Amino acid sequence: MNQMTLLGELQHLDTRSDENAAARVALEKKLADTSAVQSARAALEQSEKKAHELKAQLRALELETSGLTDKLKQVNERLYSGRITNAKELAGLNADEKMLQRRKSELEDQELALMEQIESAEDAEKGNRAAYAKLAAETNARNEQERTALRDLDASDAELAHKRDSIRAQLSTETLHVYDELRRTKKGRAVVMMKAASCTACGTAVPSGLVSRVRLGNELVSCVNCGRILVP
Ligand SMILES: [Zn+2]
């Protein structure tokens, strides 16, 4: 291979290596982004907490109702025991009984309303749990693919580095210096094709005197505008 063909090949390998690096950054960014799973987890925890709180409220109400039921039983026993004959006392017990009944019925209404809320909270919790599990499984599978893709990139990089070393070993120090400098200053594109007697990087026409020299490929010919090395 002549120097220009080697340079073209070197550029090709370095471009692939740059593409690998960009792909690696994108994959690592994806792997690091756990926001979707985290928000699904947060939604699940939120709904678990809500259902838990509502159940605690229901237990408190049930406890209060049970206390009232006991009291009501005692009042009723006294009322109908036949032992109380004092009219005032009987009237008082009657009033207590009514008050306790009213409160008990209020509590029972609240319990019913709470049970409905618990049912929808449990439905929401179930839905969130399923959504979280699905997302976590999908994310795990995708992460596995991404890790495989990263390993493929490692293998590709190793192969590219090996080929690159072998090509660089065949190029002169001066040529490599020009190439490396252009790679650094021209966004990685040091060597470009000449097509229809123009530079394919910047579009500038190659002066006719240079066109044939580029086609021969025996020497470094730079684009008169962007300075990149032109290859046929
Ligand atoms: Zn150019």
Side-chain angles (χ1 to χ4, degrees):
M1 271 199 264
N2 68 29
Q3 296 282 293
M4 291 305 106
T5 310
L6 286 170
L7 265 185
E9 183 57 19
L10 180 59
Q11 174 70 73
H12 173 66
L13 295 171
D14 280 334
T15 300
R16 280 181 58 198
S17 186
D18 291 345
E19 287 163 0
N20 280 1
R24 180 183 302 279
V25 168
L27 284 168
E28 279 168 353
K29 197 175 159 196
K30 275 191 197 168
L31 274 168
D33 181 11
T34 55
S35 57
V37 179
Q38 273 173 345
S39 46
R41 176 84 225 167
L44 171 59
E45 280 168 1
Q46 189 67 32
S47 53
E48 281 171 345
K49 194 172 162 226
K50 173 100 187 281
H52 186 79
E53 282 167 2
L54 289 170
K55 284 177 199 166
Q57 282 178 35
L58 181 62
R59 275 195 301 277
L61 275 182
E62 282 168 349
L63 209 65
E64 199 182 339
T65 308
S66 147
L68 271 179
T69 307
D70 289 347
K71 252 186 215 159
L72 202 54
K73 203 178 155 201
Q74 287 165 17
V75 169
N76 277 327
E77 272 168 11
R78 291 189 65 200
L79 248 179
Y80 305 111
S81 63
R83 292 196 304 269
I84 317 274
T85 47
N86 181 304
K88 214 172 171 184
E89 203 177 336
L90 278 172
L93 281 172
N94 258 319
D96 282 354
E97 193 213 357
K98 280 206 178 72
M99 190 270 286
L100 289 168
Q101 280 289 10
R102 198 167 52 241
R103 180 67 190 137
K104 194 181 165 194
S105 141
E106 275 170 17
L107 287 177
E108 282 165 351
D109 288 348
Q110 287 175 26
E111 280 174 23
L112 276 178
L114 258 183
M115 281 176 199
E116 278 173 24
Q117 287 182 48
I118 287 170
E119 203 182 323
S120 35
E122 282 177 338
D123 284 348
E125 186 187 333
K126 199 175 156 196
N128 284 339
R129 188 179 305 284
Y132 169 70
K134 185 167 179 269
L135 192 66
E138 284 168 359
T139 304
N140 279 341
R142 205 173 49 239
N143 285 351
E144 199 40 58
Q145 287 174 4
E146 281 153 4
R147 278 190 282 270
T148 304
L150 278 175
R151 282 192 294 272
D152 290 347
L153 281 179
D154 288 340
S156 166
D157 279 342
E159 191 193 335
L160 287 172
H162 179 72
K163 286 183 180 167
R164 193 166 56 227
D165 288 349
S166 123
I167 286 177
R168 287 181 74 96
Q170 300 170 63
L171 287 162
S172 73
T173 314
E174 296 76 26
T175 302
L176 284 174
H177 178 73
V178 173
Y179 173 83
D180 289 339
E181 199 54 22
L182 283 168
R183 276 269 296 158
R184 195 175 63 77
T185 55
K186 303 288 177 187
K187 292 176 183 163
R189 285 184 79 191
V191 179
V192 293
M193 295 268 286
M194 178 182 74
K195 262 190 192 149
S198 295
C199 166
T200 50
C202 72
T204 300
V206 178
S208 53
L210 294 182
V211 171
S212 54
R213 286 167 60 192
V214 172
R215 286 195 181 129
L216 280 171
N218 292 327
E219 58 182 320
L220 277 185
V221 181
S222 302
C223 169
V224 290
N225 178 51
C226 69
R228 291 183 174 93
I229 302 161
L230 295 164
V231 289

